[in-house]
């Protein structure tokens, strides 16, 4: 095909300035672009907001021919193309939602060499007639956006991505650039493998998101904790992640009842409903979205100020991606997870249903890492980045642990009070009931059991229920209490509890972290 004047070769720096209006490249961008210009395959690993798009958009504008961008989401495609067109770049998209005449118009321009960047859905690019069309074009580059979708190990596997290796087979001479914000190592290896990248140039940026403050708060009365937090946020945007659709609906409704501007989002809703919520959120018409993991890729909203986890996610990777939707504009943002150690057992039971044994083991290992992250008492960011092999020596100074270091205290007396309360109640009751007994609650259940007569009734009434819940959890954790799931989660003393009751040694416990946020906010001021 002949070369229209608009595709005259320009220097990458010139394009960066003239088209995108940026004065210099960010770390790594130039090297990736140079590799692509030299027809080398590339793998670009940058966190969300790291500046991946420019890495393929500039080669597309510098090289002859058309760059084919594979992108998994229609909304993402539309946004990107609209942005490029606004910059005067000849970009277009085709996917199966486009009207036939529209598609024909795009194809016409394509064959006339009038399009520099063509965004295509993966299912579309693999259609026989489309591949045939491609073989008549001069293709400068294949850019595979959200490339982790190719991997079974990734958090967002998509079958159509899996077949993208056919592109390398058919167009062996066309360089391919894979881009992802995935920090997970196994997934990264798999991307190279699956897409058949040939000795790729790999750029790995830092995955640190220093403006995000990580906090893990013990889950007591999560709805109360949630509302207390949200009431302070005024009109800021945020996302609340939960594991089940039912819980999403439930919480969204409660928030609405509390007068908050919140909407639900999950895969059980119709396409129109979901689109409505996503657009409303993008436009700041909706302040809070309560969602399952289905609310993910394609949320390009820069000013999300908080991401809350009502439940523990299934992997550190998922946690990182979900919290990463906060603060894309670089301004201070918060990631708070409400954590109940008992949730760990609940999630583990889900994995038992996975038939594929290897798959189950991988899921379990990933979740174990997440669980130990949640339970750890060291700098959150250090653990996160070390997990992604980005070794961190320094504590971050911007997580709950750094801002409000855990303190321990001699917990022998409170442990004895709690343990004897469990014992007096004949080891037949669960956490909530024991807390009520300790606090001397006046409930019909306690009266019916005649437990208001026990010597331990009300023995801990000067402490909050959160305090006692935290202590009981720690006693379980330390192996002094066991929880019998088959018996209504009743608490039982273990052999080891005897030594504590007899004061044979002193027991160190962590001071319960109650309303941690309020404590360290004062410190920062
Ligand atoms: P990603 O796709 O990695 O999430 P984007 O490509 O959307 O990130 O880039 C994030 C933001 O950074 C965008 O607003 C983009 O215009 C901006 N950006 C990218 N490269 C540069 C640069 N060299 N200088 C200044 N801003 C840049
Ligand atoms: Zn820290």
């Amino acid at each position: 095909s002949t070369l229209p004047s608009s595709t005259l070769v320009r220097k990458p720096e010139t394009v960066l300035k003239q088209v995108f209006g940026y004065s210099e490249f960010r770390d790594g961008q130039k090297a990736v672009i140079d590799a692509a210009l030299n027809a080398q395959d590339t793998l670009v690993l940058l966190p969300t907001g790291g500046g991946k798009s420019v890495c393929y958009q500039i080669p597309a504008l510098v090289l002859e021919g058309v760059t084919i961008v594979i992108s998994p989401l229609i909304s993402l495609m539309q946004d990107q193309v609209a942005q490029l067109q606004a910059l005067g770049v000849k970009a277009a998209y085709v996917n199966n939602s486009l009207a036939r005449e529209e598609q024909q118009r795009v194809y016409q321009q394509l064959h006339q060499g009038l399009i520099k960047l063509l965004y295509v859905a993966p299912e579309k690019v693999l259609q026989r007639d489309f591949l045939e069309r491609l073989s008549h074009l001069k293709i400068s580059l294949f850019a595979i956006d959200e490339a982790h979708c190719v991997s079974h190990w990734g958090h967002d596997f998509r079958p159509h991505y899996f077949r993208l290796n056919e592109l390398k087979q058919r167009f062996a001479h066309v360089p391919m650039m894979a881009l992802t914000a995935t920090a997970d190592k196994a997934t990264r290896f798999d991307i190279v493998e699956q897409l058949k990248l040939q000795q790729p140039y790999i750029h790995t940026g830092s995955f640190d998101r220093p403006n995000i403050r990580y906090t893990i708060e013990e889950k007591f009365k999560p709805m109360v904790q949630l509302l207390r937090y949200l009431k302070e946020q005024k009109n800021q945007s945020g996302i609340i992640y939960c594991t089940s659709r039912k819980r999403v609906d439930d919480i969204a409704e409660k928030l609405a009842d509390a007068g908050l501007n919140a909407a639900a989002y999950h895969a059980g809703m119709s396409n129109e409903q979901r689109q409505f919520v996503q657009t409303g959120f993008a436009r700041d018409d909706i302040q809070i979205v309560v969602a399952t993991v289905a609310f993910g890729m394609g949320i390009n909203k820069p000013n999300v100020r908080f991401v809350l986890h009502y439940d523990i996610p299934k992997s550190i990777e998922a946690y990182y991606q979900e919290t990463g939707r906060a603060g894309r504009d670089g301004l201070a943002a918060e990631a708070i997870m409400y954590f109940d150690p008992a949730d760990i057992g609940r999630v583990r039971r889900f994995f038992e249903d996975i038939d594929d044994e290897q798959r189950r083991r991988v899921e379990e290992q990933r979740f174990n890492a997440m669980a130990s992250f949640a339970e750890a008492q060291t700098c959150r960011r250090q653990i996160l980045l070390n997990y992604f092999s980005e070794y961190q020596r320094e504590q971050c100074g911007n997580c709950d642990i750094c801002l409000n270091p855990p303190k321990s205290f001699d917990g022998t007396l409170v442990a004895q009070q709690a343990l004897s309360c469990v014992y007096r109640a004949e080891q037949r009751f669960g956490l909530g009931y024991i807390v009520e007994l300790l606090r001397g609650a006046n409930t019909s259940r306690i009266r019916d059991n005649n437990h208001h007569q026990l010597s331990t009734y009300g023995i801990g009434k000067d402490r909050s229920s959160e305090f006692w819940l935290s202590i009981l959890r720690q006693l379980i954790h330390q192996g002094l209490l066991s929880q019998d799931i088959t018996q209504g989660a009743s608490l039982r003393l273990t052999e080891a509890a005897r030594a504590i009751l007899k004061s044979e040694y002193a027991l160190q416990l962590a001071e319960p972290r109650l309303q941690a946020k309020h404590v360290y906010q004062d410190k920062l001021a």
Side-chain angles (χ1 to χ4, degrees):
S1 55
T2 51
L3 196 62
S5 58
S6 61
T7 59
L8 280 179
V9 176
R10 288 183 285 179
K11 281 176 63 174
E13 288 81 0
T14 317
V15 176
L16 184 73
K17 280 192 195 110
Q18 291 184 346
V19 178
F20 295 96
Y22 301 136
S23 49
E24 49 193 86
F25 283 111
R26 285 194 187 152
D27 235 19
Q29 284 176 333
K30 183 66 177 19
V32 168
I33 291 167
D34 284 344
L37 295 181
N38 286 322
Q40 194 181 354
D41 285 348
T42 44
L43 174 61
V44 183
L45 306 163
L46 282 174
T48 307
K52 287 185 285 299
S53 320
V54 160
C55 294
Y56 62 84
Q57 286 166 349
I58 288 184
L61 296 179
V62 168
L63 292 166
E64 284 177 36
V66 59
T67 285
I68 307 293
V69 186
I70 319 288
S71 176
L73 292 181
I74 292 176
S75 59
L76 247 167
M77 244 182 246
Q78 289 169 340
D79 288 354
Q80 290 254 15
V81 168
Q83 281 171 21
L84 287 169
Q85 286 174 344
L87 296 173
V89 173
K90 288 168 176 142
Y93 65 85
V94 280
N95 56 47
N96 291 333
S97 79
L98 211 58
R100 185 166 282 278
E101 309 83 71
E102 264 305 289
Q103 256 185 57
Q104 290 309 324
R105 210 171 53 80
V106 171
Y107 290 150
Q108 226 167 35
Q109 294 181 348
L110 187 64
H111 290 288
Q112 289 168 354
L114 294 174
I115 290 175
K116 295 302 292 173
L117 283 128
L118 183 68
Y119 285 73
V120 195
E123 57 271 27
K124 183 86 200 166
V125 84
L126 294 167
Q127 279 168 13
R128 193 186 286 256
D129 53 340
F130 194 84
L131 284 170
E132 171 62 21
R133 201 180 285 285
L134 287 185
S135 64
H136 295 293
L137 296 170
K138 173 148 184 57
I139 303 170
S140 49
L141 177 72
F142 283 113
I144 318 288
D145 206 4
E146 310 286 355
H148 58 274
C149 294
V150 81
S151 172
H152 276 295
W153 304 137
H155 47 87
D156 208 353
F157 173 67
R158 304 201 166 200
H160 288 295
Y161 261 73
F162 198 58
R163 281 185 51 216
L164 287 177
N165 57 27
E166 288 175 28
L167 290 178
K168 260 290 164 206
Q169 285 161 18
R170 276 192 173 242
F171 304 94
H173 58 286
V174 178
M176 186 176 270
M177 182 182 290
L179 308 104
T180 178
T182 287
D184 184 89
K185 265 209 158 162
T187 310
R188 291 173 176 183
F189 278 118
D190 210 26
I191 292 170
V192 174
E193 186 100 351
Q194 300 299 341
L195 290 176
K196 307 248 181 302
L197 299 183
Q198 302 299 307
Q199 295 163 327
Y201 173 80
I202 300 178
H203 173 68
T204 312
S206 170
F207 275 71
D208 188 14
R209 300 285 309 278
N211 60 317
I212 299 179
R213 172 178 299 172
Y214 300 102
T215 298
I216 297 181
E217 222 176 271
E218 202 172 337
K219 205 189 220 180
F220 298 114
K221 297 191 184 87
M223 213 46 226
V224 175
Q225 289 168 282
L226 200 59
L227 283 170
R228 194 175 59 209
Y229 179 80
L230 296 176
K231 289 260 159 80
E232 289 169 7
Q233 301 311 306
K234 312 258 163 29
N235 293 318
Q236 306 284 20
S237 292
I239 307 172
I240 301 165
Y241 281 106
C242 318
T243 39
S244 73
R245 295 174 187 181
K246 190 176 168 306
R247 182 164 287 165
V248 165
D249 287 333
D250 192 43
I251 291 179
E253 199 179 308
K254 285 187 179 139
L255 297 187
D257 287 348
L260 291 160
N261 177 3
Y265 186 106
H266 57 66
M269 291 161 45
S270 73
N271 275 338
E272 295 81 60
Q273 284 175 315
R274 279 188 284 166
Q275 195 57 50
F276 177 80
V277 173
Q278 187 164 342
T279 315
F281 188 56
R283 289 193 195 137
D284 286 325
D285 293 339
I286 295 170
Q287 187 205 338
I288 301 162
V289 176
V290 189
T292 60
V293 291
F295 195 57
M297 270 191 308
I299 304 160
N300 278 322
K301 193 173 169 54
N303 62 338
V304 175
R305 292 274 69 84
F306 58 88
V307 169
L308 309 186
H309 279 95
Y310 193 90
D311 301 303
I312 185 170
K314 294 223 167 67
S315 68
I316 290 186
E317 174 70 14
Y319 172 80
Y320 176 80
Q321 295 298 336
E322 284 154 18
T323 54
R325 303 206 167 100
R328 289 194 59 172
D329 54 11
L331 303 175
E334 270 198 288
I336 301 176
M337 179 175 124
Y338 299 111
F339 174 57
D340 174 353
D343 286 346
I344 291 177
R346 286 185 204 118
V347 176
R348 284 214 177 105
R349 253 164 280 145
F350 276 118
F351 297 133
E352 289 165 12
D353 296 335
I354 303 176
D355 287 332
D356 180 339
E357 182 162 342
Q358 191 192 9
R359 169 123 213 127
R360 184 174 65 238
R361 232 180 283 138
V362 171
E363 299 271 355
E364 279 170 356
Q365 280 166 11
R366 294 202 155 163
F367 182 66
N368 288 345
M370 181 64 211
S372 63
F373 168 73
E375 287 174 332
Q377 297 291 311
T378 52
C379 173
R380 311 286 184 201
R381 195 179 313 270
Q382 261 184 333
I383 305 180
L384 272 184
L385 293 173
N386 286 335
Y387 178 76
F388 297 133
S389 316
E390 192 175 327
Y391 181 64
Q392 293 295 306
R393 209 208 205 97
E394 304 288 327
Q395 305 220 344
C396 78
N398 193 25
C399 73
D400 60 331
I401 300 285
C402 287
L403 293 163
N404 181 29
K407 297 187 194 78
S408 66
F409 72 111
D410 182 341
T412 315
L413 180 64
V414 291
Q416 286 170 338
Q417 291 174 332
L419 293 172
S420 36
C421 196
V422 170
Y423 183 74
R424 299 272 170 218
E426 295 167 354
Q427 315 191 61
R428 290 191 291 115
F429 298 89
L431 283 169
Y433 189 85
I434 299 298
V435 169
E436 285 179 350
L437 271 186
L438 281 160
R439 302 212 348 110
N442 182 15
T443 72
S444 54
R445 195 164 167 224
I446 287 179
R447 283 194 306 273
D448 291 349
N449 289 325
N450 239 355
H451 280 165
H452 56 298
Q453 311 279 21
L454 295 178
S455 59
T456 49
Y457 177 73
I459 198 175
K461 62 175 178 296
D462 51 335
R463 309 277 200 168
S464 67
S465 0
E466 285 85 356
F467 174 87
W468 284 114
L469 196 51
S470 178
I471 297 299
L472 287 166
R473 283 171 179 166
Q474 291 186 54
L475 296 179
I476 295 172
H477 222 98
Q478 298 214 15
L480 300 168
L481 284 175
S482 68
Q483 212 169 8
D484 189 344
I485 313 274
T486 58
Q487 299 289 318
S490 58
L491 295 170
R492 306 181 68 85
L493 304 197
T494 64
E495 225 9 73
R498 195 189 304 253
I500 297 298
L501 284 169
K502 288 197 200 150
S503 297
E504 282 172 14
Y505 68 92
L507 182 71
Q508 285 297 305
L509 291 176
E511 232 167 59
R513 301 163 71 76
L514 312 172
Q515 302 184 18
K517 185 166 169 17
H518 302 274
V519 180
Y520 61 70
Q521 253 186 355
D522 298 342
K523 266 193 204 173
L524 277 183

